Every structure is written in structure tokens, then in C-alpha cells.
Amino acid sequence: MDLPCETVLVFDRDEDLYAFESFVHATNYLEAIDVSEGEYPAAYSPDGGVLALTAPEGPQGPVLLTRTGRADLADLERRVARYWERHQRGQPSCDPPQTARFLIDRDHQPRTGWLSRVMCQLRRDTPGD
């Protein structure tokens, strides 16, 4: 279960959790306006390293993610446990690295929305197949 060395765990104000494979993935996904308004109060590496999210050029500029040199594994573990309690009911809680792997793997699964299901059904119902 190797994680990329720059894996990032980001928590929003609603305690939702986002996992990114790299700083680049995180900063490309997160919007500067949200960072400026404090939407993401906590960001960590899976080992508890505290990361700083900033938007130094304001709401229209880039998002920066930097290592602070501090660690707070206890807070990360508390937030991850709360994520499992709220969003993965009935599932056993995982540690931060396992949670990051779970979320990254889940995000790489192909989506099967209603349109995909309908198209599959139509293909199965097509005569001559």
C-alpha cells in the first residue's frame, strides 16, 4: 500500500476529507477563493506533517501548499476517525495512510452514473448481439 511521497489529506469546514496524490493535484483542484475564505482549515501529509494552504495572490491567484516543518499526528488521527464515523458508517476506521489510499483508489474507479447504466442496458437489449 505505497502512497506517493507527496500525498495530501485536506479537510474542509464540514469535515469532509479529500486525498490527493501530490501537491500538484491538490493545488490544481482547490480553488484560491475557497482557500482565501478558510474553507480548508487543515491539511496534512499521511504521517501527520502539517501543511499550509495559502492563496497569496488572493481569490483569483494560484493555491500554494507548503510543508510547515510541524507535525500533529493526534489531530490528523482525530479528524480521520471523525471522517469514518460521519461518512463511512458501518466501516471500521482506518489510519491516515490507509484512508488516503482508500480515497485515492475510490477516486480512480470508473463512475457508473445513471447514463452509463442506461447505455449498458440498451447495449444488452440490442437485437443481434
Side-chain angles (χ1 to χ4, degrees), residues 41-96:
Y44 293 95
S45 61
D47 63 356
V50 177
L51 305 174
L53 270 172
T54 59
E57 295 177 24
Q60 301 304 317
V63 172
L64 298 179
L65 184 62
T66 56
R67 297 181 194 281
T68 65
R70 294 180 293 124
D72 193 345
L73 185 57
D75 185 56
L76 173 59
E77 289 173 339
R78 181 182 53 77
R79 288 175 184 272
V80 166
R82 199 162 43 235
Y83 162 79
W84 283 95
E85 289 169 12
R86 293 185 68 208
H87 301 287
Q88 298 296 329
R89 289 195 175 131
Q91 298 292 324
S93 182
C94 294
D95 67 18

Side-chain angles (χ1 to χ4, degrees), residues 106-120:
R106 184 192 66 187
D107 289 345
H108 284 105
Q109 295 297 316
R111 304 272 181 199
T112 55
W114 69 270
L115 183 57
S116 296
R117 291 190 301 272
V118 167
M119 294 303 292
C120 267

